[in-house]
Amino acid sequence: MSDVCCEDPESMVQTSAGVLEKLCRFPHSGTDKVPDFKLGILTVSDRASAGLYEDLSGPEIEILMRGYQERTKYFCMSSVCCEIVPDEHDTIVDKLIEMADKEKCDLIITTGGTGLSKRDVTPEATKVVVDRLVQGIPEAIRRETSKVEPLAMLSRAVAGIRNNNTLIVNLPGRPKAVRESMVVLLPVLPHAVSQLQK
């Protein structure tokens, strides 16, 4: 079962600022083009979708994306589409397809459902939706985040491309794990999105 709660919002924002401060010391990787794109954020959690607690991981992704955009000007998000669904395979598949094909999201970042529990099915759902895997993204995230948290190596997250124009990336469910993963992911996103827009 996905875990997307359990951190104090005040400390979350302060830690996000620290992540951005660290990232902005280094240039992004790849193209100089500044992509204008639509972001989709999909939180996968039985409890958050049922209203049993507040989703903190989805908003954490948006905080980091907007903060990185404002500080670096490496990309411009035209809009953000946020959704919460339970840990149900077919529901996740349907929502990813809707966000990619109907909402026309250029980038979809999921949070939750990447662990070893029988309810953790986000990677399986993502593999149904994408046409090509981008294996280097989850490999890099697992490698770097496991240096901070050894349990990160248990993540089954995947990343891939749908219809040659939407990049989908799975992240873990906890806000702390989201922050650690975004440190790895954010610097390569401008180049990745610009490549899909060509």
Side-chain angles (χ1 to χ4, degrees):
M1 194 181 310
S2 307
D3 191 350
V4 295
C5 72
C6 309
E7 291 198 356
D8 176 72
E10 286 294 324
S11 64
M12 181 183 73
V13 173
Q14 291 169 5
T15 308
S16 298
V19 168
L20 291 168
E21 184 67 29
K22 177 180 178 181
L23 280 171
C24 293
R25 294 175 186 170
F26 306 100
H28 74 297
S29 302
T31 181
D32 292 325
K33 180 178 182 291
V34 182
D36 184 347
F37 68 94
K38 183 172 184 178
L39 171 67
I41 300 173
L42 181 62
T43 298
V44 181
S45 168
D46 287 329
R47 289 173 288 180
S49 66
L52 298 180
Y53 61 57
E54 181 184 5
D55 168 31
L56 298 181
S57 296
E60 177 75 349
I61 292 170
E62 184 172 357
I63 287 170
L64 290 168
M65 290 291 293
R66 290 194 183 281
Y68 194 63
Q69 170 184 280
E70 290 169 7
R71 294 192 183 204
T72 66
K73 313 300 182 187
Y74 289 155
F75 56 76
C76 178
M77 290 184 295
S78 57
S79 60
V80 180
C81 173
C82 300
E83 300 282 353
I84 304 176
V85 296
D87 293 273
E88 295 288 348
H89 180 276
D90 291 350
T91 303
I92 300 168
V93 168
D94 291 344
K95 185 57 67 175
L96 287 173
I97 292 174
E98 177 185 324
M99 295 175 85
D101 298 0
K102 182 179 178 182
E103 298 295 335
K104 303 298 183 183
C105 292
D106 300 284
L107 170 67
I108 301 172
I109 301 177
T110 73
T111 173
T114 62
L116 304 184
S117 165
K118 65 181 179 181
R119 294 288 292 167
D120 290 332
V121 295
T122 303
E124 286 74 22
T126 302
K127 288 178 182 178
V128 170
V129 173
V130 301
D131 308 306
R132 295 184 290 159
L133 291 174
V134 185
Q135 295 159 321
I137 291 177
E139 288 171 359
I141 291 174
R142 275 189 288 269
R143 182 182 65 247
E144 295 304 315
T145 57
S146 63
K147 296 175 183 177
V148 180
E149 171 53 74
L151 292 177
M153 70 179 70
L154 300 179
S155 170
R156 300 183 305 106
V158 300
I161 300 165
R162 177 172 175 81
N163 295 335
N164 292 320
N165 53 29
T166 300
L167 175 63
I168 302 175
V169 180
N170 299 158
L171 295 186
R174 287 185 175 274
K176 179 177 181 291
V178 165
R179 287 192 294 271
E180 293 166 354
S181 299
M182 290 293 279
V183 168
V184 183
L185 180 62
L186 273 168
V188 303
L189 283 181
H191 183 68
V193 173
S194 68
Q195 288 295 297
L196 290 175
Q197 291 179 343
K198 288 182 177 180

